[in-house]
Amino acid sequence: MEDQRICIEFCVKSGFKGAEIFWMLQTAYGDAVMSRRRVFDWYKRFKEGREETADNERSGRRPHQPRLKKWTSSKFFLRRSGIVLELVREDRRITVREVAEEAGISFGSTQLIMKDISGVRRLNAVLVPKNLTFDQKNARKETASLNIEATTDDPELLKRVITGDETCIYGFDSETTQQASEWRFKNEPRPKKARKAPSKVKVTLTVFFDYQGIVHHEYQQQGSTITADSYLGVLRRLREAIRQKRPDLWRSKSWILHHDNAPAHTALKISKFLQDHSTSVFPQPPYSPYPPATSSFLESSKKLKGRKF
């Protein structure tokens, strides 16, 4: 350690800052570098005029021995560390105290083995919409690859796609914190906004649009749900809207429907209806976290926040 202190003293006299000195020591000594706290402690001492690099002699105390070096050189440590790691591999949710009891060692020694030496960390689980199997992931990849190939071969393909989805519209939904932001001068407090839940009054909105804009929209009756029968009626009204608003696509029968894989959208009667009317469907990757109209609905819902209907 004294050689590192000599380096610190030289860098202090050369005008380097503490953070720069610690970075250079890390580069030179790697894992054997002094801790950041000790580097800054010696940096302060040399800054205040200290000349000696050796430790001050203290009566009644043995020279400092690094704990890790003592442990790693013992047969007891090597034997117990293998047991600890095996217990962790068998049960990833086991606690440090349970490991200590199973291995027959102290709580502190178990922490030393797991964290400081083996590098084992306890991490919180990440919430995901769905845990997909290998076949589901592969099917999602294949569908996405086919869509990319189709749009590459025909650059005008997306102009013929009419996509649709459902969303809930509330009678009142409070503004976001970003929408409620205000300009404030220095020393002025931040604006406060009371937390409010969305109103119980809500209605389901179904929207279909293409690159030119909205083609068809309608509201579902309150208290009703989207079923195959109700969605069949929506598709019939959508066809009439396409005939009136997109006559070129209607005459050429070249428009392509795009919706998600909800049960009401993939029911047998829906598939038969689309097949009978020669309607092509742009495939949606299964279990995709991004519904067809997510981005448009998010932008629209932001503009509706803070308004009462």
Side-chain angles (χ1 to χ4, degrees):
M1 291 296 177
E2 189 170 358
D3 55 341
Q4 297 187 38
R5 297 171 194 164
I6 295 173
C7 295
I8 296 173
E9 183 180 12
F10 173 78
C11 291
V12 169
K13 292 182 178 180
S14 300
F16 289 96
K17 297 181 179 180
E20 296 174 336
I21 297 173
F22 179 67
W23 177 80
M24 288 188 290
L25 289 175
Q26 275 187 318
T27 305
Y29 291 94
D31 295 336
V33 70
M34 297 166 58
S35 66
R36 184 184 181 88
R37 183 184 63 81
R38 295 188 64 194
V39 170
F40 277 86
D41 182 41
W42 280 98
Y43 171 81
K44 181 180 178 182
R45 294 181 188 181
F46 292 129
K47 196 76 173 176
E48 293 174 350
R50 183 186 175 106
E51 297 291 339
E52 298 179 359
T53 57
D55 282 324
N56 296 332
E57 293 186 3
R58 300 182 184 180
S59 59
R61 182 171 179 177
R62 295 179 299 174
H64 174 73
Q65 294 291 336
R67 190 180 180 188
L68 292 180
K69 186 175 181 181
K70 177 182 176 181
W71 269 86
T72 52
S73 61
S74 65
K75 294 181 180 179
F76 173 83
F77 164 77
L78 296 175
R79 185 166 59 252
R80 295 302 181 186
S81 62
I83 298 174
V84 169
L85 296 180
E86 189 63 30
L87 291 171
V88 173
R89 291 191 182 95
E90 292 178 359
D91 184 5
R92 294 304 179 102
R93 295 191 177 185
I94 194 170
T95 64
V96 178
R97 194 168 299 280
E98 290 173 344
V99 172
E101 293 176 356
E102 290 286 340
I105 56 179
S106 65
F107 183 85
S109 300
T110 306
Q111 281 187 316
L112 178 67
I113 295 173
M114 295 177 66
K115 297 180 180 179
D116 297 341
I117 299 173
S118 301
V120 179
R121 299 181 300 164
R122 191 175 184 93
L123 302 178
N124 295 335
V126 178
L127 293 178
V128 294
K130 183 180 178 63
N131 285 326
L132 303 181
T133 63
F134 174 79
D135 293 335
Q136 291 171 338
K137 292 179 181 180
N138 195 37
R140 199 158 120 186
K141 179 182 177 182
E142 290 178 356
T143 303
S145 299
L146 291 175
N147 290 343
I148 293 174
E149 291 179 4
T151 53
T152 303
D153 296 338
D154 185 5
E156 300 293 321
L157 176 66
L158 293 179
K159 292 185 178 181
R160 297 186 281 114
V161 174
I162 297 177
T163 183
D165 203 359
E166 298 88 11
T167 186
C168 286
I169 302 297
Y170 292 92
F172 173 77
D173 195 2
S174 60
E175 293 179 324
T176 63
T177 55
Q178 183 180 8
Q179 289 174 316
S181 62
E182 300 177 0
W183 291 107
R184 294 297 176 100
F185 292 98
K186 189 176 181 180
N187 299 328
E188 286 187 337
R190 296 177 59 181
K192 294 183 180 180
K193 179 176 177 59
R195 187 185 299 275
K196 295 182 180 180
S199 64
K200 295 183 179 179
V201 179
K202 63 179 180 179
V203 64
T204 301
L205 170 65
T206 303
V207 181
F208 290 89
F209 59 91
D210 60 2
Y211 81 105
Q212 300 182 59
I214 295 178
V215 178
H216 176 67
H217 77 280
E218 61 180 77
Y219 296 95
Q220 193 81 6
Q221 292 184 354
Q222 291 190 14
S224 60
T225 58
I226 303 295
T227 62
D229 293 328
S230 64
Y231 191 65
L232 189 62
V234 172
L235 291 181
R236 289 195 176 100
R237 291 185 286 274
L238 171 64
R239 286 174 53 83
E240 179 62 22
I242 295 174
R243 187 182 68 82
Q244 296 180 7
K245 298 181 180 180
R246 304 291 186 267
D248 295 337
L249 295 178
W250 177 262
R251 285 194 297 268
S252 62
K253 295 183 180 181
S254 59
W255 68 280
I256 303 172
L257 177 65
H258 178 220
H259 53 200
D260 59 18
N261 299 316
H265 300 171
T266 57
L268 182 60
K269 60 177 61 178
I270 300 298
S271 301
K272 187 176 183 302
F273 174 82
L274 296 175
Q275 184 177 3
D276 292 342
H277 291 84
S278 303
T279 302
S280 302
V281 178
F282 196 81
Q284 171 77 0
Y287 303 104
S288 175
Y290 307 105
T294 298
S295 58
S296 299
F297 284 159
L298 287 176
E299 290 299 322
S300 301
S301 61
K302 287 180 181 179
K303 296 180 180 179
L304 298 178
K305 286 181 179 294
R307 300 176 59 184
K308 293 184 178 181
F309 300 94

